[in-house]
Amino acid sequence: MRFEIDYLQEHHVSLLTVSGAMKLDEYRTMVVEILADMQRHQTNNLIVDLRNVTLGLSFNETSRLPEINRELGVNTGHKVAIVFMEHSPKANGVRLYEILAAHRGYDHKLFTRHTAGLLWFINCETAPVQAAAQ
């Protein structure tokens, strides 16, 4: 598995692009590195692009990801937009992760387009301002 980390300064969002076959050990390393990058940029917003990844996680490993994330330092203040291919063979695993993460208090949402995930962050930031103005 390979991954690239970018910072979208104009939106104050970190971007993690993953490719290849994702295994649990590599996943752990990736999470530690992206958390360090997010801390460096002082952001809690992350887009994870999984469109070019083959998920090599078992059902049990997928079910444990929210707990593994917590152990690695992911907190409920981190907002994560996960971009995936809806028709991939492991799409159900990604959907399962979203449900399990939500039950543990995480704000991790699935999107099929990168721009939709980015708009989610922008809308979340402007919603309190709009509500206060009314």
Side-chain angles (χ1 to χ4, degrees), residues 1 13 25 37-38 43 59 63 73 80-81 86 89 101 108-109 111 129:
M1 177 184 84
V13 173
D25 289 339
D37 185 77
M38 291 171 70
T43 185
F59 176 81
S63 298
V80 180
E86 190 169 4
H108 298 183
K109 303 243 185 273
F111 299 92
V129 173

Side-chain angles (χ1 to χ4, degrees), residues 56-97:
L57 304 175
S58 69
F59 176 81
N60 185 43
E61 290 170 331
T62 301
S63 298
R64 290 183 36 236
L65 286 180
E67 297 309 316
I68 291 169
N69 286 343
R70 187 174 314 267
E71 292 168 8
L72 295 172
V74 178
N75 65 53
T76 56
H78 291 120
K79 294 178 66 79
V80 180
I82 302 168
V83 182
F84 76 115
M85 299 291 285
E86 190 169 4
H87 302 292
S88 76
K90 295 281 189 161
N92 286 336
V94 180
R95 287 187 197 98
L96 172 65
Y97 171 78

